[in-house]
Amino acid sequence: MAAAPRIQFTVTNVDYKRKDPVFWIEVQTNITKYKQKQKRFPRYYSELVKLYDFLSSTCDDVLIPALPPCPSPRFDKEGQLVGRQWWFTIRLPGEKPVIVGDTGSVENKIQLWFDRIVEHDRTKMSEGLRAFVESEVGFRPSIVPQQHSQQRIKPPKYIIVHVSPDDMEPEFGHCLQDLDTFSQNLHHASSRLDKLVQEQHSMARSWINMSSSWVSYGGIERNPNLFILYKTIAKGHQQLADLERSQASAVSETLSDEISYELKNCESTQNAMQRRLDALSDYLSSRKHTESSLRSVERLKSSISIDRDQASEAIAILEDARIHERNNLQRFERIDTNLRQDIEQQYKPNTTQDMLRTIKEYAKSQLYLEKKKLAVLNEIMIKQDDVLIN
């Protein structure tokens, strides 16, 4: 028994030193049309954008997940790339390093996008995906015609039947309403997070101002113990400001980034639903054309004098209309069935999984950094107690 077609992409490393970062990708496959079953090759992020556009334009019955934005790398003082969960590497002065395990790759969203593309039964066999892998001069797909226009050519005097969401079955309307509500909630959450980030930056500035005040007090203090205490407090407030800014960055790089991505994904799903509407419109229009052609033939039959050439032309038009109607019906049924399946089995569970994972990541970042702030405040209290005792 032949093995099922399989292809796997692995992002091995990324060159972020370029304006258009280069992703080194390793691919393994058993699909027969691939010349090499294992290969490692570079692709610019802009080529990933081209791949997404190509798949979206050629796979009309597939819900292509939105391409994540290009990762923004973060480097430490030594210039080394820091993991996605960089907050676990923050150490207070004198604090011993703690092993926290894998902090995650910066490009994990890109890796996840590749995983979902190649796991899909219809995209894994795409010629565009094969060209993306096998091209030796970078991925340069041929110009894609306007979306599926080759499948939507209208014959002369074609009657266009426009279909709106109100004309669809209630299930379709509920799905559109759910997407619209989800999008509105995401926009609302994004606004709330923007305010939270602004508040955290404002708090950081407050800590900085307090630190400056303590430095000023220390400058006029003659008691050596109080001088040391003021210096400790000023240093602690500076650390609190740094931690506050880190918390703001963590919010932006977890929840805010994920919400922005899910908004793009929601838009991609809404576009897929529009393709379903367009396919139904094409089918109903072609059916209308068939009915019109049939009436023309019936009128010729009832005519007193029938022109042979005119009759042959009318019959040929009717046959073409029936073929066109049948093709459009098959296309609509294919798009309808496959998009329903993609929304229920991929979009909904993947979105839930991504949001839950991001919320957990956000919570862990804030808890970890709050513990750091408590440690700083505790250090100040210990120093204050030492001064009072002495």
Side-chain angles (χ1 to χ4, degrees):
M1 182 177 178
R6 179 187 59 81
I7 184 169
Q8 180 180 359
F9 281 64
T10 303
V11 179
T12 57
N13 64 289
V14 185
D15 181 3
Y16 287 110
K17 296 179 181 179
R18 301 170 181 265
K19 186 176 181 181
D20 188 4
V22 179
F23 292 73
W24 282 89
I25 303 165
E26 185 175 298
V27 64
Q28 293 181 328
T29 183
N30 63 354
I31 299 176
T32 55
K33 65 182 178 181
Y34 281 78
K35 297 176 182 177
Q36 295 175 268
K37 306 307 178 188
Q38 185 171 350
K39 183 180 179 181
R40 186 172 182 267
F41 57 96
R43 290 292 179 264
Y44 292 105
Y45 178 78
S46 58
E47 293 176 286
L48 272 60
V49 175
K50 292 178 183 177
L51 175 62
Y52 168 75
D53 291 340
F54 186 88
L55 293 175
S56 298
S57 299
T58 56
C59 302
D60 58 354
D61 63 342
V62 180
L63 180 55
I64 305 294
L67 176 67
C70 189
S72 299
R74 182 183 290 270
F75 300 93
D76 60 18
K77 295 178 180 179
E78 287 73 34
Q80 298 297 316
L81 183 66
V82 180
R84 173 174 169 79
Q85 299 178 24
W86 49 266
W87 45 85
F88 287 129
T89 64
I90 294 178
R91 300 285 175 265
L92 297 175
E95 186 178 6
K96 295 181 180 180
V98 179
I99 299 176
V100 295
D102 186 13
T103 59
S105 300
V106 179
E107 57 276 357
N108 67 335
K109 290 289 291 183
I110 297 293
Q111 179 63 62
L112 185 59
W113 182 77
F114 273 125
D115 292 342
R116 289 172 177 171
I117 290 295
V118 300
E119 285 170 1
H120 200 292
D121 291 336
R122 296 188 294 284
T123 51
K124 75 168 64 172
M125 304 302 293
S126 166
E127 277 299 308
L129 197 63
R130 184 192 63 78
F132 178 80
V133 172
E134 297 193 336
S135 175
E136 299 297 335
V137 291
F139 182 56
R140 299 173 183 174
S142 57
I143 299 176
V144 180
Q146 192 174 18
Q147 194 164 5
H148 318 301
S149 59
Q150 70 275 16
Q151 300 180 12
R152 303 180 63 190
I153 298 175
K154 310 290 191 300
K157 298 181 181 180
Y158 204 77
I159 303 172
I160 306 298
V161 177
H162 295 287
V163 181
S164 72
D166 295 336
D167 301 320
M168 303 297 288
E169 70 277 15
E171 181 186 355
F172 181 87
H174 292 326
C175 185
L176 279 182
Q177 183 60 43
D178 289 343
L179 286 171
D180 186 56
T181 301
F182 183 49
S183 178
Q184 291 178 11
N185 290 337
L186 288 175
H187 278 294
H188 180 66
S190 180
S191 298
R192 295 289 297 272
L193 287 174
D194 288 343
K195 292 181 180 178
L196 174 60
V197 170
Q198 291 174 8
E199 290 171 359
Q200 288 176 320
H201 281 298
S202 177
M203 180 60 72
R205 289 192 294 271
S206 298
W207 286 122
I208 289 293
N209 292 336
M210 293 178 68
S211 176
S212 299
S213 298
W214 285 110
V215 169
S216 298
Y217 294 152
I220 60 176
E221 181 57 57
R222 295 294 178 263
N223 186 301
N225 289 331
L226 287 177
F227 171 78
I228 293 174
L229 175 60
Y230 293 162
K231 183 178 178 181
T232 301
I233 294 175
K235 181 181 177 182
H237 285 181
Q238 177 66 57
Q239 292 170 343
L240 290 171
D242 292 340
L243 290 170
E244 202 76 50
R245 284 192 289 262
S246 293
Q247 284 185 289
S249 297
V251 171
S252 298
E253 295 176 28
T254 54
L255 280 181
S256 294
D257 283 358
E258 185 63 35
I259 286 174
S260 297
Y261 175 71
E262 292 303 339
L263 279 168
K264 290 176 58 179
N265 227 3
C266 186
E267 181 181 355
S268 178
T269 307
Q270 290 170 325
N271 291 338
M273 299 294 276
Q274 184 60 48
R275 290 202 299 273
R276 182 173 179 264
L277 271 180
D278 293 341
L280 178 59
S281 174
D282 289 345
Y283 164 62
L284 294 178
S285 299
S286 61
R287 190 174 71 178
K288 205 78 172 177
H289 181 65
T290 301
E291 293 171 355
S292 176
S293 301
L294 183 59
R295 284 194 296 269
S296 297
V297 171
E298 293 297 331
R299 282 196 298 270
L300 283 175
K301 285 183 180 180
S302 60
S303 176
I304 297 175
S305 59
I306 303 177
D307 182 86
R308 182 180 296 274
D309 292 338
Q310 188 178 8
S312 298
E313 181 183 3
I315 293 172
I317 290 174
L318 176 60
E319 289 303 313
D320 287 344
R322 284 172 171 167
I323 293 172
H324 197 65
E325 177 187 351
R326 183 168 61 251
N327 290 342
N328 275 330
L329 176 60
Q330 292 173 350
R331 176 171 175 262
F332 169 70
E333 290 175 340
R334 171 175 57 81
I335 291 176
D336 176 53
T337 300
N338 290 336
L339 286 183
R340 283 174 184 266
Q341 179 179 339
D342 284 358
I343 289 173
E344 292 299 325
Q345 298 183 10
Q346 295 186 31
Y347 174 71
K348 289 183 178 180
N350 287 346
T351 299
T352 301
Q353 175 186 332
D354 291 347
M355 289 301 296
L356 287 175
R357 182 181 60 249
T358 301
I359 291 171
K360 290 179 181 178
E361 187 179 32
Y362 159 75
K364 288 180 180 179
S365 71
Q366 300 302 301
L367 286 171
Y368 182 83
L369 294 170
E370 283 294 335
K371 289 180 179 178
K372 294 292 180 184
K373 288 161 70 175
L374 286 174
V376 172
L377 292 170
N378 188 57
E379 181 67 24
I380 293 174
M381 291 178 63
I382 292 174
K383 190 64 179 178
Q384 177 181 329
D385 291 341
D386 290 344
V387 171
L388 292 174
I389 292 172
N390 295 330

